[in-house]
Amino acid sequence: MFSKHSLTIAACLFLPVTLISLILAGYFWFDSLNRQAEWHKAEATVTRIEWKESTNSHGEKVPFAYAIFTFTTTDGTVVEVPSQTAASEKPLYRVGDTQWVIYPPHAPQQAEEDTFLVQFLLPLMLTV
C-alpha cells in the first residue's frame, strides 16, 4: 500500500515534530512544577463574574464568563485577578466560591489558579 520510501519520509518528518513537542511539554511541566515550589499560595474568593465576547470560527460573537478572584498576599495587599479559564454558557465559578491561587511574591497580579487544569493540563493541550 505504501512504499518503503514514503514511510521513511513520513518517519523523518514525524520524528522531529514529536521530539519538539516532547521538549515543549517537558518545559511547560517543569515550569509549572517550579511555580508550585517557588510561588506563594493564598485562598481566593470569587468576588464577581465578568462576561467578555469572543468571535468564533464562523464569525459569530460568543460570550465567555470569567471569574474574578480576590485574595490577600502575605504582606496584606488585596489583589484581584481574572481566572485563566472561562466558560461560554455557564460560569465555572459562582460569586462566593473559594479557590487556591499561587502567585509570584514580587508580582501578585500574575496569580494563577492552583488547579491541575490550569497548572498542567492547559500547557499540555497547548503543546499537543
Side-chain angles (χ1 to χ4, degrees):
M1 183 167 166
F2 293 105
S3 72
K4 184 178 180 183
H5 184 65
S6 64
L7 290 176
T8 303
I9 291 172
C12 288
L13 294 174
F14 181 73
L15 184 61
V17 170
T18 302
L19 289 174
I20 290 170
S21 293
L22 288 173
I23 289 169
L24 283 173
Y27 168 78
F28 284 131
W29 277 63
F30 177 77
D31 188 51
S32 292
L33 291 172
N34 194 36
R35 283 194 307 266
Q36 292 285 324
E38 294 181 2
W39 287 14
H40 292 200
K41 192 172 191 175
E43 188 173 27
T45 302
V46 176
T47 52
R48 69 181 186 278
I49 304 294
E50 289 187 359
W51 289 87
K52 297 180 183 177
E53 285 189 343
S54 182
T55 305
N56 66 15
S57 60
H58 301 293
E60 303 165 335
K61 296 214 180 240
V62 179
F64 285 91
Y66 291 86
I68 303 299
F69 294 106
T70 302
F71 67 96
T72 305
T73 63
T74 54
D75 67 1
T77 305
V78 176
V79 180
E80 280 191 344
V81 293
S83 172
Q84 285 82 25
T85 56
S88 61
E89 292 187 18
K90 179 182 171 188
L92 296 172
Y93 298 99
R94 294 185 313 229
V95 173
D97 285 353
T98 58
Q99 174 64 51
W100 288 100
V101 295
I102 57 173
Y103 63 93
H106 60 280
Q109 66 278 9
Q110 294 177 3
E112 300 176 352
E113 296 158 74
D114 191 19
T115 63
F116 182 79
L117 173 69
V118 171
Q119 295 301 315
F120 298 101
L121 197 55
L122 287 178
L124 181 62
M125 288 170 40
L126 289 174
T127 303
V128 173

